[in-house]
């Protein structure tokens, strides 16, 4: 569904690797929905996504703090919003036995496009201007 493109790079190899993993999870969800696996795989992917994003967001935020990234607060808020929304979707899936697969997929694709391609891309010029090793 989504293929890594070089224009997705944020200029920090570690974060590009993390983003590739997020893309892989989105693609896994898409494949499971297409194959009719639905609810069970959706829950597994969401759980994996929550765990992975916590790890990824911690790394990004530590980087931002270390180098005094000027848009840290706004960036962190986006991270908190994604985590909250993902947890809500997971709760809907588990508590209400609701198939939220298509909703999750749409949310993740939109988040990927907006957060990584806009917010995270701001890393690149900042890192270059500061001469930060990537």
């Amino acid at each position: 569904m989504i293929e890594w493109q070089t224009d997705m790079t944020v200029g920090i190899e570690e974060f590009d690797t993390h983003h590739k993993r997020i893309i892989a999870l989105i693609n896994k969800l898409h494949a499971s929905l297409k194959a009719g696996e639905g609810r069970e795989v959706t829950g597994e992917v969401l759980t994996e996504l929550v765990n992975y994003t916590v790890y990824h967001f911690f790394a990004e935020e530590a980087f931002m703090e270390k180098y005094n990234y000027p848009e840290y607060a706004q960036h962190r808020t986006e991270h908190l919003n994604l985590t909250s929304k993902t947890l809500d979707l997971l709760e809907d899936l588990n508590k209400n036995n609701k198939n939220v697969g298509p909703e999750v997929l749409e949310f993740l694709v939109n988040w990927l496009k907006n957060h990584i391609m806009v917010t995270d891309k701001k890393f690149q010029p900042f890192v270059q201007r500061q001469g930060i090793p990537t």
Side-chain angles (χ1 to χ4, degrees):
M1 177 172 196
I2 301 172
E3 229 177 281
W4 176 261
Q5 305 289 325
T6 55
D7 67 339
M8 294 176 170
T9 187
V10 297
I12 300 169
E13 189 175 337
E14 175 185 4
F15 301 150
D16 288 340
T17 300
H18 292 181
H19 293 157
K20 289 174 186 177
R21 179 70 183 130
I22 292 168
I23 288 170
L25 289 170
I26 292 171
N27 287 336
K28 180 179 178 181
L29 176 63
H30 179 256
S32 74
L33 291 172
K34 203 171 177 183
E37 296 170 345
R39 191 179 174 284
E40 183 177 318
V41 175
T42 301
E44 291 171 9
V45 172
L46 274 175
T47 300
E48 189 175 354
L49 182 65
V50 168
N51 292 333
Y52 193 79
T53 54
V54 167
Y55 162 76
H56 169 65
F57 292 164
F58 180 80
E60 274 192 357
E61 291 170 17
F63 170 88
M64 289 184 242
E65 284 185 312
K66 179 178 179 178
Y67 293 106
N68 297 313
Y69 185 60
E71 296 185 39
Y72 169 76
Q74 176 189 347
H75 203 114
R76 186 167 192 280
T77 298
E78 286 189 33
H79 287 170
L80 292 172
N81 290 340
L82 171 71
T83 302
S84 176
K85 175 68 174 175
T86 305
L87 287 171
D88 288 347
L89 291 168
L90 187 57
E91 184 179 351
D92 262 357
L93 181 74
N94 292 327
K95 188 176 181 180
N96 302 322
N97 201 21
K98 181 179 168 188
N99 183 5
V100 295
E103 181 183 353
V104 171
L105 186 62
E106 181 180 352
F107 170 71
L108 292 175
V109 168
N110 288 332
W111 174 79
L112 180 77
K113 289 177 182 173
N114 293 318
H115 184 77
I116 294 175
M117 294 299 293
V118 177
T119 305
D120 281 354
K121 286 290 282 184
K122 293 179 184 178
F123 277 151
Q124 202 166 23
F126 173 78
V127 167
Q128 289 171 344
R129 280 193 312 271
Q130 300 299 318
I132 298 168
T134 58

